[in-house]
Structures are given as C-alpha cells and as structure tokens.
Amino acid sequence: MIASRNPCLADGTGTGRDVELRSATASADEECFPACLNPATLSGLPVAEFLDAARQAGFGLIEMSIQQARAFGLDRLREALQERRLSVAAASGILPADHILPAPLLIPEAFYQAALASVRERLDAMSVLCCPVATIVVNPRSSLPGRDAGDLAVRRLRELANACEEFGLRLAVEAVGVRRGLDASLGGQFSVCTTPMELDELIQRADHPALGVLVDSYHWAATGGMPEQLTGPQAPIVHVQIADTPRTPGNRTGWTDEMRHYPGTGSLDWPLFRTALAAAGYLGPVSVELFNPQLRAAPVADIAARSLAGARACFPGCGS
C-alpha cells in the first residue's frame, strides 16, 4: 500500500480541506458557497492554461481530472497552484476512462478490478494536492437487472469509500437526472439510479462514513427540482456542481447536458436551490460545469469570467 503524503495537515497553505471544514462550520452570515470551476466548462483545456484562466477570472477553487494532474506532475502542479493561489476542491477519475475522462461506477468487472488495483495511487495524488473530495457518477441505467445493479453499486461504493478513507478523502457520488444524450456507458435496459432519493438509498445501504452526495443543480432540476430532494436524504452533501436549465423549461425529459446555461441565465429557481442546500447543511464550493458546445466556443477568458459572475449572482456573498 502507498503511504499517504498529506501536506494539507502540515504546511497551512490554502487548501480544499480548509473549504470542507468551513462548509461544516460557517453560519449563514459568513462567506459561504465559494465559487469553483470545473475543467469541462473550458472543454478539456491543457492544465497550465486552465489554471491561468481560472486565476485570471478570479476563481480560488477548481476541480481537476486526477489523470491530467498526474501526467502534469504533482510537484510541478502543487507549485503552479500555489503560485496562482488556487486550491483543488474535488477531483474526478477515481475510476478512469482515459487520460482525462472519469468512468462511471458500473463499468465491466474486468475494467473495475484493473482500476481498483491502482486506485490508491490516484487517491494518494489527490491527497498530495490537498484535495478533500473524489467524485464518481452512478450509472442511471445498466444492462443488469435493477436489484443486481444496485447490489453491485453498493459493493463498489463501499470498496471505494474504504480506499478514500485511508487517505482522508470523501467520496462524492452523483446521480444523473437527464435522460437524453447520455454516453453509451451510462445506458442499458434497466433503471438503476436517477433521483436524489434513489442515490440516498444506495449510499445508506453502503453505510460508510466516507460516502456523501454530489449534487448537480441541472440533474436536480431534471428530476423535479424540489427542495425536499436535497433536505430529505440522510447522506451528507459533500460537493455541488452548478449550471442553469433551459430558458424555456418545456418537458424535462427532453433535456440534455448540452442544453446547460451559465448560472443565472436560465430558468432554475436559484434562491430555492441555495436555501435547500443551506437547510441540508451544505455551505461548501459550488462548481460551474457546462457542456454546452455553443457556450464553450467563446474565448476562454470570457467563459471563465461569465462562469464566476454567474456563480456569484446565484449565490450572493459567494467567495472565491
């Protein structure tokens, strides 16, 4: 087993762990919901360019692909983060699909076992970067019958949470609420998990303290957008991603991820979402995640600036 290096607990630099602790202790009148930038918003930009764009726009927090981080070089990346006064709030790729993309939870067993054999290397890298949260997506559908898929998801969540716990990380689990335009790896004949309540059931069955929920505002809205979907589940919210919904909502079943908008420019009820998050006990980072190809065709600096402006508009008092 790889010995965990954790400079976050020793050097006092601004880190994602600081944000996690603040989210658990901040009161409503303190700075809360700090803005964060997801690399998908800038369409797979090289690491150095992504860091520059985030910092120049005014972000203090980012998400990362841990595959990209390791390829860039951890020591080099730590220096780059410190120079730009950036912290990593969450990292994808605990199960990698390729050199950038993450894989969902219910990948074929042979691929899963291969990824599990090297998972501690990726978690150690997250720890070195002072990243407090690893993220993963649960497949909304599977070729396995519902109960079999659920049992497999519970077993894998428990295994991955055990590994995260060794490195002092939380595993944030995301349910996909949109139904159309999904990657083939998320498809199948049988429904597995699409709503916050279904996700909470899986997490409760897995019963591990390192497990929590990743809430995505777009997926939340796609499955109803009710506050009780955030306040009712027992599992804690440990990370949040945000994007706005179509300006003319129409039929939610027709939404795709490519229809996402900058926060504050669509039809999502942001005061309702913000209040529900706070009522659920979450005051942590809100990470802008866009997949809209028209928006991502704009100049990088404009995308980053509009992302930060949108986050701050939807979360008044939102810090960087």
Side-chain angles (χ1 to χ4, degrees), residues 30-310:
E30 293 178 308
E31 180 181 274
C32 57
F33 300 118
C36 180
L37 184 63
N38 185 290
T41 300
L42 300 181
S43 192
L45 210 62
V47 171
E49 294 178 37
F50 171 63
L51 298 183
D52 285 340
R55 183 66 263 176
Q56 288 167 11
F59 282 95
L61 295 172
I62 58 169
E63 291 188 72
M64 288 211 74
S65 154
I66 200 59
Q67 301 98 295
Q68 273 193 304
R70 293 176 69 199
F72 189 80
L74 296 181
D75 290 339
R76 179 186 173 200
L77 181 55
R78 285 202 72 201
E79 291 179 3
L81 290 167
Q82 290 172 357
E83 288 173 359
R84 294 163 177 81
R85 291 173 291 131
L86 290 170
S87 298
V88 182
S92 65
I94 185 172
L95 297 181
D98 63 12
H99 68 288
I100 295 178
L101 296 176
L105 183 64
L106 299 180
I107 54 177
E109 185 67 20
F111 292 108
Y112 174 76
Q113 291 300 329
L116 190 64
S118 58
V119 71
R120 285 167 178 78
E121 297 174 8
R122 291 183 293 280
L123 293 175
D124 186 61
M126 293 182 194
S127 181
V128 167
L129 296 174
C130 303
C131 170
V133 173
T135 64
I136 194 165
V137 170
V138 176
N139 306 55
R141 305 189 66 83
S142 170
S143 59
L144 294 173
R147 184 66 189 183
D148 292 343
D151 290 345
L152 180 60
V154 167
R155 175 174 65 80
R156 290 184 177 180
L157 287 175
R158 194 177 292 131
E159 288 174 337
L160 295 174
N162 277 333
C164 285
E165 189 175 42
E166 293 179 24
F167 293 88
L169 278 76
R170 304 292 293 276
L171 180 60
V173 189
E174 180 181 8
V176 175
V178 298
R179 302 183 186 182
R180 294 184 56 199
L182 297 175
D183 186 84
S185 66
L186 299 175
Q189 181 181 356
F190 303 101
S191 178
V192 181
C193 175
T194 59
T195 70
M197 298 304 183
E198 291 171 336
L199 176 60
D200 190 59
E201 181 182 354
L202 289 178
I203 292 176
Q204 293 306 316
R205 286 178 59 196
D207 190 24
H208 197 290
L211 286 173
V213 176
L214 190 166
V215 171
D216 183 297
S217 65
Y218 194 84
H219 292 308
W220 168 74
T223 56
M226 303 299 292
E228 55 266 28
Q229 292 175 305
L230 304 180
T231 60
Q234 299 179 51
I237 300 171
V238 297
H239 191 60
V240 170
Q241 295 170 338
I242 59 171
D244 217 326
T245 50
R247 295 185 180 94
T248 304
N251 186 350
R252 291 185 176 94
T253 61
W255 291 0
T256 70
D257 272 324
E258 292 188 345
M259 297 165 68
R260 290 175 179 242
H261 290 273
Y262 289 110
T265 64
S267 60
L268 193 142
D269 188 336
W270 289 101
L272 182 71
F273 182 67
R274 182 177 66 245
T275 301
L277 287 177
Y282 184 81
L283 297 173
V286 288
S287 185
V288 181
E289 184 184 49
L290 301 176
F291 298 101
N292 188 318
Q294 293 179 323
L295 299 182
R296 294 198 303 190
V300 166
D302 291 351
I303 298 171
R306 291 192 65 183
S307 295
L308 182 61

